[in-house]
Amino acid sequence: MGQKYTELLSSVTGIGLPLHRTGYAENIYWVYGVVLDDERPFDAEEMMKRLADRKVGARPFFWPMHEQPVFVSMGLFKGERCPKAERIARRGLYLPSGLALTGPQIEQVVQNVKEVLA
């Protein structure tokens, strides 16, 4: 799934794709996350709404720990900022994934992503 998404999205400008491999790990693509470039005039929430209008489900990235409501209510991380985590949370989203996702379904998702980003 991940390699197919990467193959189809690699030429799309304005989004960051997950790395296949780092010096210490290989991506198993249990989810496929993309991050909108800062130049995009909308955030991940708007992107997910636009995809939903096209019947494509997408999910937000995990929210940073210092902004998790349970920790905020406990007074933890008070006054702390994590700009990189905050940016990724607001600009990142997960595309549909799963073992049952077919190649044609991935192609349809990618086509919709391209149209929303056009």
Side-chain angles (χ1 to χ4, degrees), residues 99-110:
L99 296 175
L101 198 62
T102 66
Q105 289 171 321
I106 292 171
E107 291 169 5
Q108 186 64 41
V109 169
V110 169

Side-chain angles (χ1 to χ4, degrees), residues 4-98:
K4 180 78 169 171
Y5 268 130
T6 299
E7 172 190 324
L8 296 172
L9 290 170
S10 62
S11 64
V12 176
T13 59
I15 58 171
L17 305 179
L19 298 174
H20 176 68
R21 179 178 286 125
T22 68
Y24 59 87
E26 185 172 329
N27 195 332
I28 61 167
Y29 300 109
W30 71 282
V31 292
Y32 194 88
V34 298
V35 179
L36 300 172
D37 288 355
D38 291 333
E39 292 75 31
R40 288 276 167 200
F42 50 86
D43 62 10
E45 185 176 339
E46 178 63 25
M47 177 78 174
M48 288 184 289
K49 285 179 188 174
R50 292 179 185 193
L51 288 172
D53 289 344
R54 296 166 169 271
K55 308 293 188 236
V56 175
R59 296 187 344 218
F61 272 16
F62 293 100
W63 216 245
M65 295 256 320
H66 70 289
E67 294 183 343
Q68 292 281 335
V70 66
F71 296 128
V72 171
S73 70
M74 295 170 65
L76 300 175
F77 305 111
K78 196 170 193 160
E80 290 191 35
R81 296 285 321 277
C82 300
K84 290 181 181 180
E86 293 163 16
R87 177 189 168 276
I88 291 170
R90 287 162 179 77
R91 307 227 27 107
L93 61 135
Y94 295 113
L95 299 179
S97 61

